[in-house]
Amino acid sequence: MSIILAVLIYFGLLMAVSRLTSRRAGNAAFYRGERRSPWYMVAFGMVGASISGVTFVSVPGMVMASDMTYLQTCIGFIFGYFVVAFVLLPVYYRLNLTTIYTYLKNRLGKRSYKTGAAFFLLSKMAGAAIKFYVVCILLQRFVLDDMGVPFPLTVVIMVALIWLYTRRGGIKTLVWTDTFQTLCMLAALTLIIIHVISALSMTPAEAVTAVAADSHSRIFVFDDWFSTQNFWKQFVSGIFIVVVMTGLDQDMMQKNLTCKTLREAQKDMCTYGFAFVPVNLLFLGLGVLLLLLAQKEGLALPTRGDELLPMFAATGMLGEAVVIFFSIGVVAASFSSADSALTAMTTSFCVDICERDSDETLRKRVHLAMAVVFMLFIMTFRIVNSSSMLDAIYTIVGYTYGPLLGLFAFGLLTRRPVNDRLVPYIAVAAPVICFLIDSATKAWWGYQFGYELLLLNGLLTFVGLFLSGLMHKKSGIC
């Protein structure tokens, strides 16, 4: 009951913040926060919005298979955020955009515009639903099953609560609720670390020394070019992950576009870009400490890294207080990610697909419909209940960002025209060709693409757009 009470108090505070920030809120507040958000609030809140509940659980377990090499990607993130801040944000602010895909309409054409928005909606709905499903499963398995709460009820209540506190204020509300949720997430992480250090009978200084001396504290890999953990692969991939999954993602950019000026948005972007290294260092450090604790207690490690933190934090092995911290941390991280996804999908559908950004009635109906579809996606994943199917969906979601990279790169780096009618076909063909290339290289040479598959996907889209422009000219239409 203490967990339920803590979560209810948490939701009560969220609703209070929502009520205070959504007074007299219309479409201008829902879509753009009336361009009045303090940049430092956006920056702090974006840390939580960028770390989903899956990340909260998964990152500590990464040390089991790949040590702390994930920090190489995080270092790449910093440079990626600089690219977004000083290349993409000036374009978005100069054009005074509500959704970033409007840029494609101005530069490439209407079908390119609709294609970009459609790829975003598809990938965001599937990706956000999978992440939220995994979090629901974790809470169900380790907390709610013992209380007799059925899974469908868990999903309906959690998604309904997200809809409730975002339905009026939208992005204006999220700037403030994300700040609160990031604070809760980081507080939960810190308190869990303190309890683990106590269980190890160490002082904080001794814990830092123990982590640094552990073999799992390895960060850099320069000696193996075929390894997916090679520094340059991780570093470059980190840059492009941020450029594509933040700079070309309406969900991640919508809050940044609520800042008063371009300069404030750039300060926000660079600030939370730097914050990712220390935050993820804490998660990975916790993972090493949990391995040390398992060794001390003589416990068998789980087969999957995702289960390392839940094995200790959600089963009561470290006390009921840690179970509460874990539950609040996972809920805060997952809600901070899911609420912004729901708001961004509503914004993109109304503005990009319907092209009716001033229709408040439509916006309310679409927001409710998106919440219902979100629930249905999560329920479907539960019915499928196949890890291989979920992995396949995750892979498909990853593929859908490549065409966005190619579309924006072509628009920004060239002044050439495209055959707008062919763009939807090019955007679909590029991921398919990517999949075939990845399968062939794996079968013939044993080489498996990692994050660099995103670059190949974007490159294929770019080449397709270039060739479509040449064909357009030869036909005499342009």
Side-chain angles (χ1 to χ4, degrees):
M1 284 304 296
S2 56
I3 297 172
I4 296 296
L5 180 61
V7 172
L8 287 176
I9 292 172
Y10 173 80
F11 284 131
L13 292 171
L14 273 182
M15 292 302 298
V17 173
S18 173
R19 187 174 181 82
L20 289 172
T21 57
S22 62
R23 292 174 179 173
R24 299 181 297 276
N27 280 7
F30 190 96
Y31 295 148
R32 302 173 64 172
E34 299 171 333
R35 284 274 169 93
R36 295 179 181 176
S37 301
W39 69 267
Y40 45 87
M41 298 293 287
V42 177
F44 187 72
M46 283 300 295
V47 174
S50 301
I51 297 176
S52 68
V54 177
T55 304
F56 189 94
V57 172
S58 297
V59 173
M62 285 183 176
V63 298
M64 289 177 56
S66 56
D67 303 329
M68 287 189 172
T69 56
Y70 179 60
L71 282 178
Q72 298 176 123
T73 306
C74 296
I75 294 171
F77 288 169
I78 296 174
F79 292 85
Y81 283 115
F82 272 90
V83 173
V84 175
F86 297 104
V87 176
L88 295 176
L89 276 177
V91 175
Y92 300 155
Y93 267 83
R94 185 179 71 247
L95 297 175
N96 195 29
L97 301 181
T98 298
T99 77
I100 62 175
Y101 307 112
T102 310
Y103 166 77
L104 297 175
K105 179 181 180 181
N106 298 334
R107 170 64 182 87
L108 301 178
K110 191 166 185 176
R111 292 196 181 187
S112 301
Y113 168 46
K114 299 292 185 181
T115 299
F119 267 79
F120 162 72
L121 288 169
L122 172 65
S123 58
K124 184 54 62 176
M125 178 60 78
I130 292 171
K131 291 177 182 178
F132 206 68
Y133 163 78
V134 173
V135 171
C136 289
I137 286 294
L138 284 168
L139 290 176
Q140 193 73 31
R141 176 182 172 186
F142 291 106
V143 179
L144 298 177
D145 272 342
D146 292 338
M147 300 178 182
V149 180
F151 181 78
L153 183 60
T154 299
V155 173
V156 170
I157 291 175
M158 292 180 74
V159 176
L161 286 167
I162 293 175
W163 174 79
L164 275 174
Y165 73 78
T166 59
R167 68 190 180 95
R168 290 184 178 177
I171 206 69
K172 180 181 180 181
T173 294
L174 293 187
V175 169
W176 297 93
T177 56
D178 279 0
T179 299
F180 170 68
Q181 294 187 115
T182 300
L183 182 63
C184 290
M185 182 198 70
L186 293 178
L189 173 62
T190 302
L191 291 170
I192 291 172
I193 290 174
I194 290 171
H195 275 73
V196 173
I197 291 173
S198 177
L200 286 166
S201 302
M202 293 181 179
T203 65
E206 290 172 339
V208 171
T209 302
V211 170
D214 194 274
S215 61
H216 289 287
S217 66
R218 180 187 62 151
I219 296 175
F220 299 105
V221 177
F222 289 103
D223 55 344
D224 186 359
W225 283 97
F226 286 92
S227 171
T228 56
Q229 308 305 318
N230 178 270
F231 172 80
W232 294 109
K233 288 183 181 180
Q234 294 279 307
F235 175 74
V236 174
S237 297
I239 295 174
F240 279 91
I241 286 171
V242 165
V243 171
V244 175
M245 297 187 180
T246 296
L248 307 183
D249 188 302
Q250 175 66 19
D251 176 17
M252 301 305 296
M253 292 307 298
Q254 194 162 351
K255 295 188 195 74
N256 295 280
L257 294 175
T258 67
C259 292
K260 299 174 185 177
T261 65
L262 169 61
R263 183 161 181 78
E264 289 199 358
Q266 289 172 326
K267 287 193 290 187
D268 139 48
M269 183 69 62
C270 295
T271 300
Y272 84 78
F274 277 108
F276 266 87
V277 172
V279 169
N280 281 286
L281 182 60
L282 284 176
F283 277 112
L284 293 167
L286 171 60
V288 174
L289 291 173
L290 291 174
L291 293 179
L292 292 173
L293 183 58
Q295 183 179 4
K296 177 186 176 184
E297 300 294 333
L299 299 174
L301 294 176
T303 55
R304 296 178 55 186
D306 291 351
E307 297 178 357
L308 179 63
L309 178 57
M311 183 181 78
F312 286 98
T315 57
M317 295 177 66
L318 295 173
E320 187 178 8
V322 172
V323 177
I324 294 173
F325 300 151
F326 173 77
S327 301
I328 293 296
V330 170
V331 168
S334 60
F335 270 55
S336 187
S337 175
D339 57 16
S340 60
L342 186 61
T343 302
M345 287 187 292
T346 300
T347 301
S348 183
F349 191 88
C350 293
V351 176
D352 298 326
I353 304 301
C354 299
E355 298 188 56
R356 290 162 59 186
D357 58 342
S358 60
D359 191 332
E360 193 166 334
T361 301
L362 174 68
R363 186 257 296 170
K364 291 178 180 178
R365 290 175 178 173
V366 170
H367 189 232
L368 177 59
M370 286 292 177
V372 172
V373 173
F374 194 58
M375 290 181 195
L376 294 176
F377 263 69
I378 297 170
M379 299 293 189
T380 301
F381 296 148
R382 175 64 167 180
I383 293 170
V384 171
N385 198 25
S386 167
S387 59
S388 59
M389 177 63 72
L390 292 178
D391 289 341
I393 295 171
Y394 255 133
T395 302
I396 292 170
V397 169
Y399 276 117
T400 59
Y401 280 98
L404 288 173
L405 174 60
L407 284 165
F408 276 87
F410 190 87
L412 292 168
L413 300 178
T414 76
R415 287 292 175 262
R416 303 183 67 88
V418 299
N419 187 335
D420 192 45
R421 290 178 299 176
L422 295 179
V423 170
Y425 303 102
I426 294 169
V428 171
V432 173
I433 296 171
C434 248
F435 173 77
L436 296 175
I437 292 174
D438 184 36
S439 300
T441 55
K442 193 186 305 180
W444 296 341
W445 298 295
Y447 181 82
Q448 184 172 359
F449 282 92
Y451 291 129
E452 66 269 26
L453 197 62
L454 177 66
L455 306 184
L456 177 61
N457 199 342
L459 178 62
L460 289 172
T461 305
F462 188 100
V463 172
L465 295 173
F466 181 84
L467 294 176
S468 79
L470 293 179
M471 292 168 59
H472 206 44
K473 282 186 175 182
K474 288 179 180 179
S475 68
I477 298 174
C478 181

